[in-house]
Amino acid sequence: MSTKVFSLILLPTLQCNADCDYCFEVKTNDRLSLGRLQELIDKVLDHLVEQDIAGLMIHWQGGEAMTLPPSWFTRAQALIAAAAAARGRTVTHGLQTNMIGYSPQWNPVIREMFDNSVSTSLDYPNLYRRRRGQDAADYNAVWARNVRLARAAGIEVGVIAVPNAATLELGAERFYSHFVDDLGIRSFQVNTPFPGGESNQAKGLLPTGSAALIGFYIDLAEVWLARGERDGVRVGPFDELLAYFSGMPTVLPCIWTDDCANHILCIDARGHVAQCDCWVTSYPDYRFGNIFECASLSELLAASAVVERFHQRPMALVARDCIACDYLALCHGGCPVRAFSVHGTLFEKDPHCALYQALFGHLAGAAARQARVGAAPPFEDNPGLEK
């Protein structure tokens, strides 16, 4: 049996207790029953057996996962463990949550199912994340309170942040200090903004592909290298890139996967299957099919014309300007949904191409400098998927 691990982004609910202005998901009241979960997980694990894949990593997202009760996850964990054991597969779990619905009742589930860690999201400054009927200040206060409670219980909290125009004005030093010094966060990831889903004013203001955004990322990389890298602070994607260019084992973000259709799937609460959560919730024409309407997941994927279009993307980009790029083997043209959200087609490269090139060159240089002075190996990280 191979040692490969397949990633499943699982959306057990499409309900959400937040109303973020730049969210790309179309929300519904759908929730996955445990009976449907059994059917779903059986088909996913059977697919792994057919493909000779040893492990499954389930990234639990939403909607908002914590709109389901902790007891649901306890029963889901037992159900999945039994199904995996029957097939000789291993399953691990990660949780992405906005933490708005967190209470200490979640602690046993987080400890037992999610290895005592969660990933959450907050921007700085927060312009767009809010609870329904409330403002950003309310969201910040509830989020900070619940994160403090979780950390006091010994839970490791990682943060995903998306830069906005105000972030760029504040600068990298203040941004880093907010998370590390003010909030005490030791692991955070900075995702590139993109206007996925239905367009609106907030998405139009996101700094996609701007020179200021490139400068912010380079400055933030330098702040991390100077202040955090030796101290064990993890900042993605800088830590992964430094490890990559230092010849160390690493897990790069999914935006740079060679062909994500080979490694990642998303299934929502209704059984729709697509490439990731943005595709499954916002672009119905790009769904692969429905897992509850097929005999097997393997057959669904083999018969899907949409899957084939995803497989065609890497070579289509290579045949154009990507072939001349020094970082093709690392980037592979970038994220399909970021390209689609800006260009309306799969067959364009990621709109953050210039940012990636600048970042790759900067971290490659940092790795070379460390090698020359005999620096210790960089901190390894195993980041979660984009959200």
Side-chain angles (χ1 to χ4, degrees):
M1 187 189 305
S2 79
T3 59
K4 291 191 298 183
V5 175
F6 192 84
S7 290
L8 171 65
I9 305 171
L10 186 55
L11 315 183
T13 176
L14 295 173
Q15 293 180 315
C16 192
N17 50 17
D19 189 21
C20 304
D21 295 334
Y22 61 17
C23 183
F24 51 70
E25 294 185 344
V26 177
K27 304 298 191 302
T28 74
N29 290 324
D30 293 285
R31 292 185 169 200
L32 188 66
S33 70
L34 288 166
R36 284 288 205 175
L37 175 63
Q38 181 74 70
E39 181 182 354
L40 183 158
I41 206 67
D42 284 343
K43 290 179 179 179
V44 170
L45 290 169
D46 287 343
H47 175 68
L48 266 62
V49 172
E50 291 185 38
Q51 299 298 314
D52 192 34
I53 298 173
L56 176 67
M57 175 66 194
I58 303 179
H59 303 271
W60 295 86
Q61 298 180 185
E64 167 48 42
M66 284 188 178
T67 59
L68 291 168
S71 59
W72 189 95
F73 283 89
T74 298
R75 296 169 67 188
Q77 182 187 19
L79 178 158
I80 292 168
R87 295 165 175 81
R89 309 294 120 166
T90 61
V91 180
T92 53
H93 304 272
L95 177 62
Q96 176 69 34
T97 169
N98 60 28
M99 291 295 287
I100 297 302
Y102 168 82
S103 73
Q105 291 181 327
W106 279 94
N107 292 353
V109 174
I110 295 171
R111 182 175 59 250
E112 298 298 327
M113 186 173 181
F114 299 109
D115 196 27
N116 212 39
S117 67
V118 298
S119 176
T120 185
S121 301
L122 187 75
D123 307 333
Y124 183 69
N126 176 21
L127 302 183
Y128 304 121
R129 297 185 188 273
R130 65 194 77 243
R131 296 194 296 168
R132 293 190 181 278
Q134 303 296 327
D135 60 15
D138 162 83
Y139 187 100
N140 293 351
V142 174
W143 183 92
R145 180 197 67 203
N146 290 347
V147 167
R148 283 195 299 270
L149 280 173
R151 295 183 66 209
I155 295 169
E156 180 182 352
V157 179
V159 175
I160 293 174
V162 179
N164 54 54
T167 307
L168 307 189
E169 292 180 8
L170 283 175
E173 180 73 40
R174 185 68 196 98
F175 181 87
Y176 181 93
S177 294
H178 177 71
F179 287 107
V180 178
D181 301 330
D182 300 346
L183 299 177
I185 299 296
R186 305 286 294 174
S187 175
F188 64 95
Q189 178 174 309
V190 190
N191 283 358
T192 48
F194 68 100
E198 187 176 349
S199 62
N200 60 28
Q201 183 178 11
K203 294 174 186 179
L205 296 174
L206 292 173
T208 304
S210 70
L213 185 66
I214 296 173
F216 170 80
Y217 267 81
I218 298 301
D219 290 346
L220 184 59
E222 278 300 301
V223 172
W224 171 70
L225 286 165
R227 294 186 50 193
E229 189 242 340
R230 295 292 166 201
D231 193 33
V233 176
R234 295 172 291 177
V235 180
F238 311 131
D239 46 3
E240 301 99 317
L241 288 175
L242 188 62
Y244 175 87
F245 288 115
S246 299
M248 302 293 293
T250 189
V251 179
L252 292 167
C254 61
I255 56 173
W256 300 322
T257 303
D258 57 348
D259 183 350
C260 50
N262 288 329
H263 309 288
I264 306 165
L265 281 180
C266 180
I267 304 177
D268 73 7
R270 300 162 294 187
H272 295 310
V273 182
Q275 192 56 77
C276 72
D277 50 330
C278 190
W279 292 108
V280 82
T281 59
S282 298
Y283 301 116
D285 291 344
Y286 284 82
R287 293 173 186 153
F288 301 158
N290 191 292
I291 198 164
F292 300 131
E293 299 172 2
C294 66
S296 79
L297 179 58
S298 296
E299 291 179 8
L300 181 154
L301 297 176
S304 172
V306 179
V307 171
E308 182 57 30
R309 293 175 70 183
F310 276 90
H311 286 321
Q312 292 169 356
R313 181 177 185 265
M315 289 306 300
L317 296 182
V318 166
R320 296 167 58 184
D321 52 346
C322 287
I323 189 63
C325 180
D326 292 338
Y327 302 110
L328 174 61
L330 168 58
C331 174
H332 307 285
C335 174
V337 79
R338 282 164 170 74
F340 186 85
S341 69
V342 172
H343 302 297
T345 175
L346 284 177
F347 300 108
E348 289 286 347
K349 62 186 179 181
D350 192 311
H352 292 292
C353 173
L355 166 59
Y356 300 157
Q357 288 190 358
L359 203 53
F360 298 157
H362 199 79
L363 271 300
R369 290 193 299 273
Q370 289 191 354
R372 285 195 296 269
V373 299
F379 191 92
E380 286 187 34
D381 186 23
N382 188 355
L385 292 176
E386 302 274 317
K387 169 77 173 171

